[in-house]
Amino acid sequence: MTALSQGMKTGLREGAIVGLTAALLGIMYSLAALEAGLSALEAVFYSAVVYSAAVQFAALGAETTLGAVLTLLSGSLFICSRNVLMSLDMARKSQGRLAELLSMTGLVDAAWAMSRGYKKDDFWGYFWGQAIAIYALWMVGAVAGVTIPIPSHPAIDAAFAATPVVFFALMIALIWRNGTNKIPSLATAVLTILAAKGLALPDTLAALLGASVAAVTFVLLAPMETEDTTPDTPS
Amino acid sequence: MRAEIILLGFALSAVVMVSRMGPFALLAGRQIHPRLRKLIEIMPGCAIAGFMTTWALPGEGEGLLDKLPLWIGAGTAMAICLTSGRLLLGMVAGLTVAALGSLVL
């Protein structure tokens, strides 16, 4: 049996911490899925194969007619736009190995945000460790949500309802801690509010428009640091 | 388990996995302009901020006050994570504040 690399050990350890928050999301999804009429097995199946809370929530209650499914799939493409952006960012670290491409199956917000701050050797071992730990704990949460009776109380309901926003707030804090400029994120929030409430755009479109305008403006206005154009090599 | 659920699950999985692996496969190892590289670096964070904002906004029939506990909870979590780097503590504190806030407000 091959010993785990130091990067993977660190990834598993740190992924377990952030994975506990993913477990909460898993519980929340399972509870919502049961309420929407899915069986326990179906709820766990979705969490196992789709592995995207936002897409799974969007699919709850969807009809299975061809038109409804096509609408759902196209809507999911919009929701997955974050994945596209994170995947492009991860490609900067690529050394062209198949294992790196395969690790992208575990590319979720938490794993991406954590890996942004990892500066040591064995970046891809670290990312694999993160991805495995977060997926495992996500599934633990999904199974717990369909098997363990959760008491119904307004405070518990409120905590579950707050989970996605608190989780994303933590991801942003993590990115900021890793040295990313705060201005584009803050500008995105303001622009998204204006687009959603001022222009009455659908939520996903408002978020993407806000993010695009803020990011492009920031990149055009910010002075460029001197850097080469070769792919990053983890140091 | 219903067959249509299985099919829909795999179709959604395909969309998600293509969005995760496709861009990586296309860009891996390629040289890109520094400004485009900078854009790629900051866009995911912006997208996360945008999606978070839409989820935190009041929906139809909701007032600002209904979402206030959520904002305070998220702010608490961020403050803890930014100052200490402790994710789990931030999550637990943020959710507790949001839950208690919803009872009070």
Side-chain angles (χ1 to χ4, degrees):
Chain A
M1 194 172 153
T2 323
L4 294 180
S5 70
Q6 192 56 44
M8 184 173 271
K9 282 180 191 166
T10 310
L12 284 168
R13 191 174 60 245
E14 294 186 359
I17 296 167
V18 74
L20 289 172
T21 60
L24 274 177
L25 278 176
I27 293 174
M28 192 177 129
Y29 170 74
S30 288
L31 292 175
L34 292 178
E35 202 162 303
L38 292 185
S39 70
L41 192 59
E42 288 167 348
V44 172
F45 167 76
Y46 264 126
S47 292
V49 301
V50 181
Y51 187 35
S52 167
V55 170
Q56 288 170 233
F57 274 108
L60 284 180
E63 294 176 21
T64 49
T65 60
L66 182 62
V69 169
L70 289 177
T71 305
L72 177 62
L73 290 178
S74 58
S76 300
L77 280 173
F78 260 112
I79 295 170
C80 288
S81 51
R82 275 195 337 275
N83 294 342
V84 172
L85 297 168
M86 291 186 292
S87 177
L88 287 172
D89 185 47
M90 293 295 286
R92 299 183 307 122
K93 301 269 187 191
S94 174
Q95 294 166 325
R97 290 175 301 193
L98 180 63
E100 297 164 4
L101 178 64
L102 292 176
S103 74
M104 290 298 103
T105 53
L107 180 65
V108 289
D109 301 287
W112 173 78
M114 291 291 284
S115 66
R116 286 293 300 269
Y118 187 75
K119 308 290 183 200
K120 297 177 191 162
D121 285 337
D122 193 18
F123 174 84
W124 290 103
Y126 177 79
F127 185 75
W128 265 110
Q130 285 266 346
I132 290 167
I134 293 171
Y135 180 76
L137 283 161
W138 156 259
M139 286 309 299
V140 167
V143 172
V146 297
T147 51
I148 299 171
I150 310 280
S152 183
H153 186 279
I156 293 174
D157 293 343
F160 278 127
T163 304
V165 175
V166 172
F167 180 75
F168 268 34
L170 283 171
M171 294 304 106
I172 292 170
L174 206 56
I175 298 165
W176 286 356
R177 269 183 72 85
N178 293 339
T180 302
N181 197 305
K182 298 179 180 68
I183 294 172
S185 310
L186 294 172
T188 297
V190 173
L191 290 169
T192 301
I193 293 171
L194 290 175
K197 296 300 173 189
L199 303 175
L201 293 178
D203 282 354
T204 305
L205 191 58
L208 289 177
L209 184 68
S212 304
V213 172
V216 170
T217 307
F218 179 78
V219 168
L220 289 177
L221 295 181
M224 259 354 267
E225 302 105 27
T226 314
E227 54 184 350
D228 63 23
T229 53
T230 52
D232 284 346
T233 306
S235 55
Chain B
M1 213 159 67
R2 288 168 286 175
E4 66 264 29
I5 294 289
I6 295 174
L7 289 175
L8 188 57
F10 282 124
L12 289 172
S13 176
V15 170
V16 171
M17 291 310 159
V18 166
S19 73
R20 285 178 182 158
M21 299 174 84
F24 185 94
L26 284 176
L27 198 64
R30 289 183 191 275
Q31 291 194 353
I32 50 174
H33 189 278
R35 279 200 194 277
L36 180 58
R37 183 169 150 155
K38 186 78 183 166
L39 186 66
I40 288 171
E41 193 184 310
I42 65 165
M43 265 298 271
C46 290
I48 289 175
F51 277 90
M52 185 195 75
T53 305
T54 59
W55 291 340
L57 287 176
E60 276 189 31
E62 287 181 317
L64 274 176
L65 206 59
D66 296 320
K67 292 286 185 178
L68 192 57
L70 213 149
W71 284 88
I72 298 172
T76 305
M78 281 185 96
I80 290 173
C81 184
L82 278 173
T83 52
S84 68
R86 291 176 177 269
L87 274 176
L88 191 58
L89 180 65
M91 187 80 179
V92 171
L95 292 180
T96 305
V97 168
L100 292 176
S102 72
L103 294 180
V104 173
L105 293 171

